[in-house]
Amino acid sequence: MYKKVSTTINGQEFSIETGKVAKQASGSVWVTCGDSVVLVTAVGAQTKREGIDFLPLTVDYQEFAYAAGRIPGNFFRREMGRPSERETLTSRLIDRPIRPLLPKGWTYETQIIAGVYSADKVHDTDVMALTGASAALMVSDVPFDGPIAGVRVGRVDGEFVLNPTTDQRQQSDMQFIVAGSRDAVCMVEGEGNFITEDDALEAIWFAHAGLQPLLDIQEEMAREAGKTKRSFEPPQDDEDLLAKVREVTTEGLAEVLATAPKLERYAKVRDLKNLAVEKLGEAYEGRESEIKNMVGHLEAEAMRAMILDEGHRVDSRTSTEVRPISCEVGVLPRAHGSALFTRGETQSLVTATLGTSGDEQRIESLTEGDTFRRFMLHYNFPPYSVNEAKMLRGPGRREIGHGNLARRSIMPVLPAAEDFPYAMRVVSDILESNGSSSMATVCGASLALMDAGVPVQSAVAGVAMGLIKEGDKVAVLTDILGDEDHLGDMDFKVTGNTEGVAAVQMDIKISGISKEIMRQALSQARDGRLHILGIMDKAISKARGDISDYAPRITTIHIPVERIKDIIGPGGKVIRGIQMETGVKIDVEDDGTVHVAAVDADQGKAALKMINELTREVEEGAVYEGKVVRIMDFGAFVEILPGRDGMVHISELEHHRVRAVTDVLKEGDMVKVKVLGIDDRGKVRLSRKALLPKPEGGAPRQDDHGNKDRRDPGGNKNNRSPRR
C-alpha cells in the first residue's frame, strides 16, 4: 500500500513514502528533504541463526557518486566495495540507536541498507537515513520497539537550529546528532567549540523536542501502511536451572567481584563457568552453553546490585572516582612527538608526525567535492591489548569511530594553517584495554602534539561515563571499566578542556535516559575531566618551544602567481630537479604560497636560494652575471636569471665598433651585463660596455677592415693640423 507522510523542519518539507519502490523488502521508505533523497530498506530473514547469543544486525549506509552528479575518482570509476570513512561512521550512527530496540533473543539475520540517490549539498543525508531506518522497520514485519528519529542541531547567532543547512552548519559553534524516542534520548554524537555543559544539555533536549513530529508521521505511516508484525516470544530462562546455577556459584561470584585485576577476574569467571558445568552438566546434558550464559547473567546481576546497593565498584572505587593515571612524553626518540598515557588497566601509546601540505589526506565527498584533511588521527586496537590472539586486519568500524571521535575532540585547539603550515598525523596504539581506550587516545593525542611542538591552544582530555539503572535506582559512574560498559546501561564519552565540551558520544542499552540523568553525567564528566587535565599538566603544560630535530622545518614564502610556472617547469621538471638536488620537499599553492620543508637547514637554504633565483624580477639598472645562451648577427642573448634572458646588442659589447659578435663572446661564456631597460613586452635590453672602463681620450673607432681611425679627438685625420 502506498502512503506518503510529511512534516516541516527548519522551513523545509521532510517527507517519507512507502509502497512505491523496493516492495520486496520487509520494509522500505523513500525519504526526501529538499532535493536530497535516501532509500532505506529493512529485511529480516525468515529463519533463525542457530547457536548464536547476539543480535545479527548489520547496517550499511552507501553514497552513490551520481547522487551529486559526480564520477568516482578511483581507478575503477565506480563505488568501491570498502566503504568510505563517512559511510562507515553513518552506518554506526544508525546502528547504535536501532540495536537496543530489537527484541532480546532475536536471532533472525536483519539488515538495514540506506542508499543516497540524490544529494543537494544543502540537506545532509545522514539524519535522513537514521530516521528512515526507523521508518523502514516500523512498516516491516520485524518486531521493533520504535519509532525513533534522528535530527541534527546547531547554534547560529546564539539560536538553536534544527537540521541546519550546509551554510548554517559552517556558521554554527556546535553540532549534535540526536536520536530519540517519545520520552527519552537514546543516542548523541557531536562536537562543540568548548561549549558549556548547560549549553550542550539544552541543545540535546531542543533536538529531542524537535524530532517529535518525525515520530508522529512514522506512527501514522505504520498504522495505515505497515505490515503485521511477526509473532515473537523472547526465549525464557529455565528458572529451575537458573536457581541451581545460582546456588553453585554464589560463593564464587563474591570472590569474582572482589577481584580488581581484569585478567584475574576473567580467569575466575571462566573457572566458575566450568565449575557450574561440572556440577550440573550431567543432569543437563547438551545445555552446557546455556549454563555458562547463566553464570554471565548472574555476574552482571551481582555487579549491578553491588554498585546500586553497596555504592562501590569492582575495583573498589566510588561512582565519581577516576582510576590512577600516569603520563609520560617523549618516550620514542625518533618520533616527532610521543606520549604514553595510562589510566588503570588502559594504556595508549600515541605518536604525532608532522608533514607538509602534500601529506594531507584527500577526501571525496558528495556535498563538498574534493577536500583535503590537514589533521588525521588514527586509532589501532591490536588483539594483544585484551589478551587475545587474532588475525591482524585493517581498521574496523569501531576503530574508525573511535579515531573520528578523538579527531573531533582535538580539532578545536589546533593552530591555523597560516600560523603552522604542517600536516599532522596522530596514531594511537592501544597497548592495554579495560575501558575508555578512546578517551585515553584523546588525552595521549593532546600530550603527543604538545611534545611535537604543535602550538595547540590548550590540553584536551576525555572521560567515559556509565550508568546502572534498575527501576528508580540510578548510579552514574565516572571512568567506566570494560565490565561496567559491557554489563551497564550507558557509554557516554565526553571530551573537552577547562572551558567546556569539545565532543560527545553517547550510546545506551535501555530505551532512553532522562534529562536529569544526562545533566548528572555531564557534571560528573566535567569534574573527572578537570582532574585528568591537572595530572596531564604535570607531564607537559604547554607545547614545546620548537619542533623535533627530525621533523621537517617548513619555510613559507610568497611569489607572484604568474611565476608559479617558473618553479614547476614543463611537466614538473624544474621542481623535481630542485627537490632531487637539495633533498627538500616543496609544495606550491595556487595563490603563490610556497612551502619548503627540510630536515637539514642547509638543504632548506639551498632550495630557497634556487627558488628565489627562479622567481626574481629583473630590475632596470641592476648588474647580473649571466651565461651566453645564443649568438646572433646583431647581438647575444644572455641568461641573467634562471629561465630569463636579455639581449646585448652588438653596439653594446665594446666601446669601439665590433665587426662580429663572436669576436667578443661565444656561447657558454659567462659575462657581466647591466640592464638598460625592459619594454612593455617584457624584453630586456642589456649592455656589456656599460660596465667596461672608457678608453682615455674617447673611444677609438675602427673602419670596416678593423683599422683604427687616426682622427684625433677634435675630428682631424692622420694627425694633420687643423685648418686655421
Side-chain angles (χ1 to χ4, degrees):
M1 175 182 175
Y2 176 77
K3 176 68 178 177
K4 178 178 179 180
V5 293
S6 64
T7 187
T8 300
I9 297 181
N10 193 17
Q12 182 65 55
E13 182 186 28
F14 188 107
S15 68
I16 307 175
E17 301 171 69
T18 191
K20 182 179 179 180
V21 298
K23 295 187 290 294
Q24 294 188 45
S26 302
S28 66
V29 293
W30 185 267
V31 185
T32 304
C33 187
D35 286 339
S36 290
V37 177
V38 181
L39 171 64
V40 189
T41 61
V43 173
Q46 298 300 315
T47 55
K48 289 184 178 182
R49 279 186 62 181
E50 300 295 341
I52 64 171
D53 58 356
F54 60 89
L55 172 65
L57 171 68
T58 56
V59 178
D60 292 291
Y61 168 89
Q62 299 175 297
E63 292 185 337
F64 301 107
Y66 57 73
R70 295 172 58 87
I71 294 175
N74 57 62
F75 177 80
F76 297 99
R77 294 295 188 265
R78 65 175 298 163
E79 286 77 16
M80 302 299 291
R82 184 174 179 81
S84 68
E85 181 179 286
R86 173 178 161 82
E87 289 172 322
T88 297
L89 295 172
T90 306
S91 297
R92 279 172 50 87
L93 200 70
I94 298 168
D95 185 297
R96 285 155 43 197
I98 292 290
R99 186 173 290 273
L101 302 180
L102 291 168
K104 182 181 179 181
W106 179 261
T107 56
Y108 295 85
E109 195 76 52
T110 305
Q111 184 177 39
I112 295 170
I113 298 177
V116 179
Y117 289 86
S118 180
D120 63 8
K121 303 183 181 181
V122 177
H123 303 94
D124 218 327
T125 52
D126 49 7
V127 290
M128 294 171 61
L130 174 52
T131 299
S134 171
L137 286 168
M138 287 292 290
V139 299
S140 76
D141 63 346
V142 175
F144 176 61
D145 191 18
I148 62 164
V151 294
R152 177 180 269 104
V153 59
R155 185 170 63 179
V156 180
D157 297 329
E159 298 292 330
F160 292 131
V161 180
L162 207 62
N163 280 7
T165 63
T166 302
D167 289 342
Q168 288 174 325
R169 285 176 61 188
Q170 292 174 352
Q171 302 169 40
S172 177
D173 66 345
M174 67 166 72
Q175 61 165 324
F176 294 116
I177 295 177
V178 179
S181 61
R182 188 66 72 186
D183 303 317
V185 170
C186 52
M187 190 277 295
V188 180
E189 177 88 36
E191 63 265 5
N193 191 15
F194 300 117
I195 60 175
T196 67
E197 281 74 11
D198 286 342
D199 285 349
L201 189 67
E202 291 308 313
I204 292 167
W205 287 94
F206 174 84
H208 181 256
L211 61 78
Q212 298 300 313
L214 294 172
L215 304 178
D216 295 337
I217 61 175
Q218 289 185 64
E219 289 175 343
E220 177 187 347
M221 173 174 280
R223 280 194 307 269
E224 299 185 20
K227 297 177 181 177
T228 302
K229 296 296 183 182
R230 298 185 207 173
S231 59
F232 174 75
E233 289 295 330
Q236 301 297 317
D237 287 333
D238 183 333
E239 293 298 330
D240 291 337
L241 176 58
L242 182 60
K244 292 178 180 178
V245 172
R246 190 188 301 274
E247 182 181 344
V248 300
T249 58
T250 298
E251 183 178 341
L253 279 174
E255 186 178 350
V256 166
L257 297 181
T259 305
K262 172 185 167 182
L263 295 183
E264 290 183 32
R265 186 168 66 254
Y266 282 14
K268 289 184 178 181
V269 171
R270 285 195 301 271
D271 292 343
L272 199 58
K273 290 179 178 180
N274 292 333
L275 175 65
V277 169
E278 181 183 332
K279 290 190 174 183
L280 303 172
E282 186 175 345
Y284 295 91
E285 188 176 353
R287 300 177 67 180
E288 292 81 0
S289 178
E290 187 178 351
I291 292 171
K292 289 183 178 181
N293 287 339
M294 284 182 175
V295 175
H297 171 77
L298 292 174
E299 179 198 5
E301 181 183 274
M303 187 202 76
R304 294 168 66 91
M306 180 177 69
I307 292 172
L308 289 172
D309 300 334
E310 302 174 27
H312 67 85
R313 298 151 76 173
V314 170
D315 55 358
S316 300
R317 284 183 295 150
T318 65
S319 62
T320 60
E321 194 175 348
V322 178
R323 288 171 289 174
I325 293 172
S326 68
C327 306
E328 298 177 54
V329 294
V331 295
L332 299 175
R334 286 283 179 153
H336 298 167
S338 60
L340 185 65
F341 181 87
T342 307
R343 176 166 47 197
E345 293 180 300
T346 295
Q347 186 177 70
S348 175
L349 176 64
V350 188
T351 57
T353 306
L354 305 181
T356 68
S357 60
D359 296 312
E360 294 177 358
Q361 182 184 10
R362 178 175 171 267
I363 305 291
E364 192 173 5
S365 167
L366 283 187
T367 56
E368 300 178 19
D370 290 342
T371 58
F372 290 87
R373 179 174 291 176
R374 173 173 166 249
F375 174 58
M376 297 153 278
L377 197 152
H378 298 144
Y379 168 101
N380 298 321
F381 194 81
Y384 61 75
S385 65
V386 287
N387 194 35
E388 291 180 352
K390 291 183 178 179
M391 295 288 289
L392 286 175
R393 292 289 183 265
R397 289 187 174 187
R398 179 178 177 276
E399 285 82 357
I400 291 173
H402 282 3
N404 179 67
L405 173 61
R407 188 181 73 86
R408 291 187 287 111
S409 302
I410 298 295
M411 282 288 291
V413 300
L414 294 177
E418 297 77 26
D419 303 322
F420 193 74
Y422 288 85
M424 293 159 280
R425 180 181 184 238
V426 169
V427 178
S428 171
D429 289 297
I430 304 303
L431 306 186
E432 295 182 52
S433 179
N434 187 13
S436 296
S437 60
S438 63
M439 298 296 92
T441 295
V442 172
C443 300
S446 179
L447 295 169
L449 286 167
M450 287 193 285
D451 184 52
V454 178
V456 295
Q457 297 172 25
S458 69
V460 180
V463 63
M465 310 300 298
L467 173 70
I468 305 294
K469 187 176 185 297
E470 295 287 353
D472 294 333
K473 292 183 178 181
V474 173
V476 176
L477 308 177
T478 299
D479 182 26
I480 56 176
L481 298 170
D483 278 352
E484 292 168 339
D485 180 6
H486 177 63
L487 304 176
D489 300 320
M490 177 180 76
D491 181 10
F492 189 8
K493 302 179 178 75
V494 185
T495 70
N497 62 5
T498 56
E499 297 178 8
V501 174
V504 298
Q505 184 181 93
M506 186 194 79
D507 298 311
I508 63 172
K509 299 171 188 174
I510 54 180
S511 58
I513 63 170
S514 67
K515 188 174 184 178
E516 286 310 310
I517 291 177
M518 186 174 289
R519 188 190 303 278
Q520 182 180 348
L522 284 168
S523 176
Q524 283 184 214
R526 175 174 174 78
D527 293 341
R529 185 172 75 246
L530 295 179
H531 169 74
I532 297 164
L533 286 167
I535 298 174
M536 290 168 59
D537 189 60
K538 295 176 183 177
I540 184 168
S541 59
K542 61 180 180 180
R544 298 198 187 281
D546 198 4
I547 62 174
S548 165
D549 290 340
Y550 304 110
R553 306 273 168 164
I554 296 182
T555 304
T556 302
I557 61 173
H558 297 275
I559 63 171
V561 173
E562 62 271 15
R563 303 308 301 275
I564 293 177
K565 64 181 186 302
D566 299 324
I567 295 180
I568 302 299
K573 179 180 179 181
V574 175
I575 194 170
R576 285 198 304 270
I578 298 174
Q579 291 179 136
M580 289 180 65
E581 184 174 339
T582 62
V584 305
K585 188 171 184 180
I586 303 171
D587 292 317
V588 183
E589 299 179 8
D590 292 340
D591 64 353
T593 301
V594 181
H595 302 293
V596 178
V599 175
D600 184 276
D602 290 337
Q603 291 176 331
K605 289 178 182 178
L608 286 169
K609 181 179 179 182
M610 296 172 75
I611 292 171
N612 286 327
E613 288 294 325
L614 283 168
T615 58
R616 275 173 58 191
E617 294 292 335
V618 177
E619 299 179 19
E620 187 170 343
V623 176
Y624 298 91
E625 184 172 17
K627 181 179 180 181
V628 178
V629 292
R630 191 158 38 120
I631 299 291
M632 307 293 287
D633 290 342
F634 50 82
F637 287 91
V638 179
E639 185 180 48
I640 54 174
L641 292 175
R644 194 76 193 274
D645 57 27
M647 192 190 75
V648 184
H649 192 267
I650 192 170
S651 63
E652 293 294 334
L653 290 173
E654 292 278 4
H655 286 292
H656 58 77
R657 185 181 180 204
V658 175
R659 183 178 63 83
V661 175
T662 52
D663 290 344
V664 180
L665 296 175
K666 295 180 178 59
E667 286 190 12
D669 286 352
M670 299 299 296
V671 58
K672 283 190 175 182
V673 290
K674 181 178 181 178
V675 178
L676 298 180
I678 306 169
D679 67 17
D680 294 340
R681 294 176 295 174
K683 292 185 177 182
V684 181
R685 293 188 299 108
L686 304 174
S687 173
R688 177 176 176 269
K689 77 177 183 181
L691 302 176
L692 299 177
K694 292 183 178 180
E696 293 185 11
R701 301 182 62 188
Q702 294 180 334
D703 59 21
D704 291 342
H705 302 288
N707 299 316
K708 289 185 178 180
D709 190 344
R710 291 187 175 87
R711 186 174 3 188
D712 65 14
N716 298 308
K717 293 183 178 181
N718 301 323
N719 294 325
R720 289 182 295 180
S721 298
R723 291 182 184 178
R724 298 188 185 274

